[in-house]
Each structure stands twice: as structure tokens, then as C-alpha cells.
Amino acid sequence: MADQQQSDTAPTWWSRPAAPQAEAEAASDPAAEHAPQASGAAPGPRYDPWAEQPLQVVDQGRATGGGHLVRMRHVLALGLGIALLAGGVGGWLGVLAERQSSTRLELPQAAVENKGRAPESVAGIAATALPGVVTLHVRGSTGSGTGTGFVLDGQGHILTNNHVVSDAKDITVTFSTGESVTAALVGRDSGYDLAVVKVDGVRGLQPLSLGNSENVKVGDPVVAIGAPFDLSNTVTAGIISATGRPITAGGDKGDGSDISYVDALQTDAPINPGNSGGPLLDAKARVIGINSAIRGADKGDSDKQSGSIGLGFAIPVNQGKRVAEELIRTGRATHPVIGVTSTWSTRATGPASAPRARAASPPSPPTAPGPGPGSRAAM
């Protein structure tokens, strides 16, 4: 009986029964009504392979519109990268082409060389002497002025011209490094137009070497350092034009009693107002003179001073050394002079007695008068 029922029942997978017939069979089958069901379980969907949509869901990816947007972004990024690469390559090729182009202007220029100079050259002399040269700014009762000086020793003594500091109330010394300090007057001598000032508390002073003015010959090269028109550390060069030029110095008292005649060194190295008191150096950077005066071109007005015309005068260093030593020791300097006095007899029986000459101090050789108007201090 069981075998017969199995053989009578056809498999449901090989053919699709009609919907009305299936429903009728389900209604007429009493076994289907009494089939046991799970408690609380909802009836699940029945798998129908011939249905319009199968039960399983297949992932078909993003929608067609989203994929197109992603591809566009990739294309844009790739295009931007290619554009940047092409721009960089093009710019490099343009620079390379410009460098190789014959129309590019490039002037020839010397390469950087060794900055050292021979000690006997002007540059070498200046490099040696500049640390020992100072600029003096002086303020007095009648105004202010600028002059030059140079270091004599490690104690801070500085030699300059008397007319630079003669009316000084405040003296400021500026070194080549730009450092400025206050100076005090040690002593001055109007007769030789020389003065000494002193600075305190300054380390690393570099005194200049003193030469011998007796060794100077006409034609020797010289270098002058000073502050013409307050232009500090100015270097000029020239030669010794003449020696033993008689010039007058001093004259502060007004009666001529303090005027001295100096056998000056003449030079064509440019010296201008502000150079007064600065050193005149030989080829070994040794001081052979103290720049003091110039011959101006303006002859009409003796009070007006013009610039250099190549006639400068310096006090010989031998004379400057002696005066500086006396000023440092005692604050004053001595002057060799010749004094003449006469005595006349009132007796009628005899001739007048001859005048008698006496030397107030060791006599000095006679000197000729100065070069005339126009030789003025180069403060």
C-alpha cells in the first residue's frame, strides 16, 4: 500500500503544476490539514524555481551612476598629475635653453681672491696703522670741531694738535672699531701746536711705531690717515714733496710770543680740515710726521679754508716725540729761543756800547719766515 502511494505520487521538481490544480489538491488532501506544525513558527516562503525572482539575493555592486563618478575622479587626478609633470619638465627645459642661449647677457667677472696685501703697500700700511688712529670730537665754549690723533703707548696717551683741543671742555675719542670714550687733557703746547690727551679703562690699545724724521728723503712714499670733514678712518697717499719747510705754529697769546717756526715735512698726500693731529706714515707704517697745516687755494679770505691742493705740512716726528714726552712728564714743554737785549751808555765821553746777546735757553738755528698767508691749520 505504501509502495503504491509512492508510485502514484509524482515528483514535484520535474514539472510545474497549474495553480488551480495545486490548490484543489491541497484542499482535498486531508493529510495536509492535519500535518503537525512547529509551535510559534511562522510559515516560511516556499521555494519556487519558476518564480519571477529567486529567493537568494545576488550582490550586483554599486549603481551604474556611482561607478561613473568614481571613474571620472580617477581620470581627473591622472590628468592633473600629468599636467604638473609636464609643467615641471617644460620649465626645466626652458631654463636650460635660456642658459645655453647666446642672447643671455653675462658679464665677465674676476673670481674672489686672497684679501691679504703686502705690508709695504698702501692697503698694508693702512691695515697696520688704522687700529692706532683715533678721531677726536671736541666741544668748547665757541663751538665744536673734529680732529685726529694717534695712540702713543699702552697707558692711553694720544698725541694730537694743540689747535684741536685748545678750547676743549669735552673731548670724545672714537677708535677705528667705533668705540667712543671720554678723554682728559694731559698737556698742550701752543708754540709747537702739539697736545696730549689720555683715555682710561681701554684695553687692547695698539700704539703706532715712531719713525725718525731724519731718515726722510724727498720722493719717499707716505700715507696720511685722518678724519677730513668728520669722515673717520680716511686714508690718502702721496710722497714727500720737500723737507725743512719753515711754517709758523702757535699764536694763541696774540702778541707773537708763543709763535714757533717749524721745519715741516711737505707732502702732496691730500690733507683736509679734520686731518689735524693725524699721522703721516712711511712705507713701514711708522709715524714720521704729525699732519698740521695746508696751503689753501683761497687767497682772498684768510679766515676761510679751502680743501687740499696738494700742499700739506706735517710736524716732524722727532720734534713731536720730544714735546710729547715733556707733556706726559710735566704737562708743559720747553722752547729753545734766542733773546737779545741792549744797554746804552749816557756818558758823552765814550761811544755807545754794543748790544749784548744772551741765550735764554740752548740756541736754535735761525729759520726763514713762514710761507706766507694761506698756510693754515688743518683742524
Side-chain angles (χ1 to χ4, degrees):
M1 190 69 170
D3 294 336
Q4 183 179 358
Q5 288 179 357
Q6 290 179 358
S7 61
D8 291 341
T9 304
T12 58
W13 55 268
W14 64 275
S15 64
R16 180 181 183 183
Q21 184 179 358
E23 292 177 359
E25 290 179 358
S28 60
D29 188 359
E33 291 181 352
H34 303 284
Q37 293 184 356
S39 160
R46 185 176 180 179
Y47 174 70
D48 186 1
W50 287 275
E52 295 182 358
Q53 291 291 340
L55 291 179
Q56 63 267 33
V57 178
V58 179
D59 186 8
Q60 297 180 354
R62 296 182 180 179
T64 305
H68 178 69
L69 201 53
V70 171
R71 286 194 296 272
M72 287 297 296
R73 290 177 181 175
H74 290 170
V75 171
L76 288 176
L78 181 60
L80 182 60
I82 294 175
L84 292 176
L85 180 61
V89 173
W92 180 78
L93 292 176
V95 172
L96 185 62
E98 181 184 359
R99 290 181 178 179
Q100 295 180 350
S101 175
S102 59
T103 59
R104 183 173 182 267
L105 178 62
E106 185 174 354
L107 299 175
Q109 184 180 23
V112 178
E113 299 176 351
N114 184 10
K115 296 183 179 180
R117 296 293 184 267
E120 66 276 6
S121 66
V122 175
I125 296 171
T128 301
L130 273 172
V133 180
V134 301
T135 301
L136 282 75
H137 294 95
V138 180
R139 185 175 62 85
S141 58
T142 59
S144 59
T146 302
T148 308
F150 59 92
V151 180
L152 290 173
D153 54 29
Q155 286 72 43
H157 292 104
I158 296 171
L159 183 62
T160 185
N161 280 142
N162 173 69
H163 69 263
V164 174
V165 297
S166 59
D167 188 41
K169 294 186 179 299
D170 295 317
I171 303 173
T172 301
V173 172
T174 303
F175 294 87
S176 60
T177 58
E179 178 186 6
S180 296
V181 295
T182 301
L185 180 65
V186 175
R188 63 188 185 91
D189 179 60
S190 61
Y192 286 118
D193 195 22
L194 293 171
V196 174
V197 300
K198 187 175 185 294
V199 295
D200 294 319
V202 180
R203 298 181 179 180
L205 294 174
Q206 299 187 31
L208 297 188
S209 300
L210 302 183
N212 193 324
S213 52
E214 295 295 331
N215 298 330
V216 176
K217 300 296 181 183
V218 175
D220 285 347
V222 290
V223 172
I225 302 180
F229 301 102
D230 203 11
L231 299 174
S232 302
N233 305 322
T234 296
V235 178
T236 57
I239 63 170
I240 294 294
S241 304
T243 59
R245 290 295 195 202
I247 64 171
T248 57
D252 288 350
K253 293 183 179 180
D255 57 1
S257 61
D258 60 341
I259 293 179
S260 299
Y261 294 99
V262 179
D263 292 331
L265 302 175
Q266 179 182 328
T267 178
D268 66 347
I271 297 174
N272 290 282
N275 276 98
S276 285
L280 187 67
L281 307 164
D282 64 8
K284 295 183 179 180
R286 299 175 301 193
V287 181
I288 59 173
I290 300 95
N291 301 318
S292 298
I294 62 172
R295 174 66 164 85
D298 189 0
K299 300 180 181 179
D301 187 359
S302 60
D303 295 331
K304 185 177 180 181
Q305 191 174 44
S306 60
S308 172
I309 59 173
L311 293 174
F313 302 95
I315 300 172
V317 70
N318 289 12
Q319 190 170 344
K321 175 178 178 293
R322 181 187 67 81
V323 173
E325 290 172 346
E326 291 183 348
L327 292 176
I328 292 173
R329 285 197 306 264
T330 66
R332 57 182 300 176
T334 59
H335 296 184
V337 296
I338 294 180
V340 178
T341 60
S342 62
T343 302
W344 299 95
S345 174
T346 58
R347 292 178 301 173
T349 58
S353 61
R356 295 174 299 173
R358 64 181 180 84
S361 59
S364 62
T367 57
S375 296
R376 297 183 291 271
M379 177 176 176

